Structures are given as structure tokens and as C-alpha cells.
Amino acid sequence: MTKSRTVSLVLSAPLAALLLAGCSSVEPWVKPYEREHLADPIMSFDRDPVSSTYLDHVFEVREGARGATGGVGGGCGCN
Amino acid sequence: MFALGATGHAGVLPDDRADMMWHQWEGGGVTVQGPSILLRKKLGDSLSLAANYYVDMVSSASVDVLSTASPYKERRTQKSLSADYLHGKTTYSLGVISSIEPDYHANTGYFSVSEDMFGDLTTVAFGFTRGWDQVGEREHVLNITDWVGDADHRNWQLSLSQILTRNWLLSVNFETSESEGYLKSPYRSARYLAPDGSVQTEEEVYPGTRTGNAASMQLKYYLPWHAALAGSYRFYKDTWSILAHTVDVGYTQPLFADWTFDADVRYYRQTAANFYSDLFPYQASQNFLARDRELAQYHDLTLGLGVTWQFHPRWPRWIEKGTMNLRYDRMHIAYDDFHNYLVGSAPGVLPLYSYDANITQFFISAWF
């Protein structure tokens, strides 16, 4: 192991430990019993996948932009 | 196409449900209609399988087709299979999609991992999609296809969904897409101004690669009177110099016991590709030449309305609940630099092209 790699390991290990410790101690600020509204079907980003998939396809075929719709797709023959 | 985990809840498998839809697009001289059937079922506590059968029956007499070829009818069939495997707070998803039409074959595979963290307030997902397309040119009279090229696609997706408060949800998505190979349509032609003042056509020439980056943000808010407000924005830019903005605002209102109403407004705007022109000044005036109106500068506005009726059938007993859904969208597309040559041929006096489309979906869903 080279000296620079040893130094970076020594420096990064405590940082990683700190981050992991930070992660494990994050207290959820919205408790599970406070998520009643969020669990309502009307709050779903994708309530009816069969419909949203179809509309994504309609736009993808006719528009130049694509992607970042929260879904994966393909095979539209969009050329 | 299936949703990436970050927009749902990674630690929970999707509900078992079946959807049967009839869809129709009518606009710009094109009618596309057909069924879509989506079935999703859990096997045990950790595995959920989904299958989709989707058909587009196309009857096309669009402005592109009428100016260079004859109206045609064709059928595209798409079949998809996917599996979601839940292990602790992590969901692994795998899927394949096959799309077949007489002059275009596309096969796609994808993989994604999503993870719930921070007391399930945050879901992070990473996905990779790989696509292999075969592009053909159809000779409708002889009923044969000449396979003219291949196109390969690679997409990387990164998503994060976050519970902000007990009423606010946020989703952030990034996607990079790379395409390589035969990326044009074999049917279209570019137009140029001949020395005698007439308009002539020449073969389109496209770059062999295209890389695009998209970033989007979606927000959802629960309103105190049991309704939901949604808003989203997407930014897109690619190496063909297309820059696009998409804005969407939606409202969902349940009414009485069994009805839900949706209203939606979507606006899209893009700049033209740097090798697009409605009319090139002379023949072979630059390396790359295109007159695909999807590469032009234009905007579109879509207004959508939807209604859902929920019911609880007494028979069969294994169906917990069902919904009947009707959705109608009206889309207006207006081009800034694409003229309609069908109404004349004198350059400079042709009207800019625009059209309206009706998009209708009717579907029945059942949860079991």
C-alpha cells in the first residue's frame, strides 16, 4: 500500500464512521403513526401505473425530451 | 415501463392488482388505439411479479406521411415481465420489455435497487436500462421490411423520495440516456431550396450518438379537506442541443364515498436540435440534416380530467375492491419552425403547423 493511500484511508475511516453513526442516530421527524395522510392512495406519485405508463409513452413518442419521470421504459420505436 | 422504486415505498411490495385498459390517441391525422393489460401478483412475502401486454393499432395519415408516402396501418405489440424482490429494507427489481412492429423491433432489459433509510423517511433508488433496437423500412405494397440499421440505448436513473412533513412528499429524479446507431427514421426527408427557387428533398443525415440528461422534481401535498395537490418540473438537455422544460400541476379530489376526480395541466417547451431546419438554404448545406418535427422548436399544452368510481363486488369474493376509470386529455401542439407543405409549396407563405389531439383512457382495475 502506498503512503498516500494509507493517509487517505486513515483520514476517510473516521469520516465514514462519523457519517454512519450520524445515519443510525437520525430520528424520524415524521413518526410512523403520523403518516396517515401520506398513506392515502391520493398521495401516491403513481396511483394507476397502467395509466401513467401509457401517458409517459404518449409524450415520449411526440417530444424530444425523455427520462427522469420516475420510471424505466423502452421499446417505443420513437425514431 | 414500470415505476422505479423511489417513487413508491421500497420496503413494501406493490399491491396485487389487475388492470384492463383501452386507450386511444386521435390527432394530427393519426389514430392509435388498443388494449393494455397489467397483472401484478405477490408470491410469498418477498417476491412480486408483473406482466404487461400492450397493443398500439396505428392508422396514420400524418403531415409527414402525406408529404412523402401513403397513409398506412400497422400494429405494435409490447410485452413486459418484471420481478421485485424485497429483502429487509431493500427492493431489487428486474425486468424485460419486448416491442414488435413490422418495421421496428426493440428489446429492453433493466435492473434497479431501492433502499429505505432514516426511519423510512427516505427512499433512494438506482436503475440501469439497456435497449437494443432494430430499425426497418417497410415497403407497404410488397409487404416486406428492409432492415436498415440498429440502435443501442443505455440509461442510468437515480431517484430519491423524501417524506418532508406529515403532509408533504418530495421526489427527485436524475436520468442520463445514451443512444448510439441508426437514430433517424428511414421514411423522412430534409427539404432544401433549389437554385431555381423550388423546394426539393434530400436524405436526412443524423449523428450516430445522442446523450441526454434529465432532472426532475415532484412535490405532493395533502390538503386539509382530503384532497391532494401535485406539482412537478423537469429539465432536459442533450448533445443535439435540445433543451426542454416540462411543468405539470395536478389536483385530486375524492368526493362522496366512492368517487375520485382528477384534474391536470401539463406544459412542455423545447428548443430545436442544432441540425434541424424546416428548409435548408441549399443541398447538403451541412454535415447533419433533419426535418423531424420532434427536433423542431415547439410547445405543447395538455389539459386532463379523470374520474374514478370505486366498488366492492360481492362476487367473486377474492376481489377486495375494484375501480372503473375514465380519463380524457386534450393536447395542443404548436410548432415555431415547422411549416405545413401540404397546403402549398411557396417558401415564406406557408402556415406554421399545429394540431389538437384527444387522448382517452378507460380502464377497470381489481385488487385481490
Side-chain angles (χ1 to χ4, degrees):
Chain A
M1 190 180 287
T2 64
K3 188 179 176 184
S4 62
R5 284 186 67 187
T6 310
V7 170
S8 55
L9 192 66
V10 168
L11 288 177
S12 60
L15 186 65
L18 191 68
L19 282 172
L20 286 172
C23 293
S24 63
S25 66
V26 168
E27 276 291 312
W29 58 89
V30 182
K31 309 286 185 203
Y33 55 83
E34 295 175 321
R35 298 178 195 173
E36 182 191 352
H37 292 168
L38 303 176
D40 193 305
I42 65 170
M43 287 297 284
S44 170
F45 280 117
D46 193 13
R47 197 168 88 224
D48 294 303
V50 75
S51 172
S52 57
T53 299
Y54 168 69
L55 274 182
D56 282 348
H57 172 68
V58 163
F59 295 128
E60 189 177 329
V61 169
R62 291 163 185 91
E63 295 175 344
R66 54 205 60 193
T69 56
V72 289
C76 74
C78 298
N79 279 12
Chain B
M1 289 182 272
F2 295 90
L4 202 62
T7 51
H9 296 282
V12 183
L13 288 172
D15 290 339
D16 290 350
R17 65 184 282 184
D19 303 88
M20 281 184 293
M21 181 170 80
W22 185 262
H23 58 84
Q24 185 180 56
W25 159 283
E26 199 171 18
V30 181
T31 302
V32 186
Q33 57 187 337
S36 178
I37 298 165
L38 177 59
L39 189 64
R40 181 174 274 286
K41 180 83 182 83
K42 280 194 271 287
L43 292 178
D45 296 331
S46 304
L47 187 64
S48 173
L49 301 178
N52 179 224
Y53 176 78
Y54 175 96
V55 176
D56 276 337
M57 289 182 287
V58 183
S59 171
S60 180
S62 69
V63 62
D64 295 336
V65 167
L66 291 180
S67 58
T68 55
S70 306
Y72 65 91
K73 290 185 178 184
E74 68 176 24
R75 177 189 171 107
R76 182 175 81 90
T77 305
Q78 180 175 296
K79 297 170 188 169
S80 315
L81 279 174
S82 73
D84 295 299
Y85 176 71
L86 176 65
H87 180 73
K89 301 273 186 191
T90 310
T91 304
Y92 303 91
S93 303
L94 196 68
V96 289
I97 306 167
S98 163
S99 168
I100 292 179
E101 56 194 301
D103 55 0
Y104 207 101
H105 291 177
N107 291 303
T108 306
Y110 63 89
F111 173 74
S112 72
V113 185
S114 58
E115 172 87 16
D116 274 0
M117 50 186 71
F118 307 136
D120 298 341
L121 289 178
T122 307
T123 304
V124 176
F126 171 76
F128 174 65
T129 307
R130 181 84 168 83
W132 299 266
D133 298 358
Q134 275 184 294
V135 188
E137 186 171 5
R138 191 78 178 154
E139 172 47 69
H140 288 281
V141 177
L142 299 174
N143 211 23
I144 54 170
T145 301
D146 179 21
W147 295 100
V148 294
D150 296 331
D152 282 9
H153 309 281
R154 291 177 183 82
N155 293 44
W156 293 266
Q157 300 102 13
L158 185 65
S159 300
L160 180 142
S161 74
Q162 179 70 49
I163 294 174
L164 297 174
T165 69
R166 56 174 74 183
N167 292 316
W168 280 99
L169 280 175
L170 167 73
S171 171
V172 181
N173 303 283
F174 299 96
E175 183 160 349
T176 294
S177 55
E178 271 184 12
S179 297
E180 190 177 2
Y182 193 95
L183 303 180
K184 66 171 185 171
S185 163
Y187 302 108
R188 261 189 307 268
S189 303
R191 289 173 184 268
Y192 67 92
L193 200 57
D196 64 0
S198 63
V199 175
Q200 302 294 329
T201 60
E202 62 183 324
E203 193 179 342
E204 285 189 319
V205 186
Y206 274 42
T209 59
R210 179 183 188 183
T211 302
N213 288 297
S216 72
M217 189 174 84
Q218 297 168 281
L219 276 168
K220 198 128 195 187
Y221 180 62
Y222 185 93
L223 293 156
W225 56 88
H226 190 208
L229 192 64
S232 72
Y233 169 74
R234 179 179 66 170
F235 175 81
Y236 173 85
K237 194 172 189 311
D238 67 27
T239 50
W240 291 2
S241 290
I242 292 176
L243 192 149
H245 305 278
T246 312
V247 180
D248 201 329
V249 177
Y251 180 76
T252 304
Q253 178 68 68
L255 272 183
F256 316 116
D258 302 320
W259 295 85
T260 303
F261 296 87
D262 290 282
D264 204 70
V265 182
R266 180 184 184 275
Y267 178 77
Y268 173 84
R269 175 156 204 93
Q270 74 169 50
T271 60
N274 53 14
F275 56 95
Y276 169 85
S277 178
D278 191 34
L279 182 66
F280 288 96
Y282 53 90
Q283 189 174 16
S285 57
Q286 54 189 63
N287 288 349
F288 300 118
L289 308 154
R291 193 182 170 262
D292 178 358
R293 54 196 159 92
E294 282 158 40
L295 305 182
Q297 177 167 305
Y298 64 93
H299 70 272
D300 61 63
L301 181 68
T302 307
L303 305 176
L305 290 171
V307 58
T308 298
W309 175 60
Q310 184 175 307
F311 58 95
H312 297 272
R314 290 183 183 173
W315 184 89
R317 287 192 166 186
W318 49 269
I319 295 183
E320 291 173 10
K321 68 166 182 176
T323 59
M324 289 177 75
N325 307 267
L326 180 65
R327 185 180 167 97
Y328 170 76
D329 289 84
R330 175 86 170 175
M331 187 176 186
H332 176 75
I333 306 182
Y335 296 86
D336 296 338
D337 51 2
F338 182 89
H339 293 85
N340 187 355
Y341 280 82
L342 294 175
V343 297
S345 60
V349 296
L350 297 168
L352 286 168
Y353 185 59
S354 67
Y355 69 92
D356 293 296
N358 300 308
I359 309 160
T360 311
Q361 303 171 63
F362 175 73
F363 59 99
I364 299 175
S365 306
W367 283 255
F368 46 88

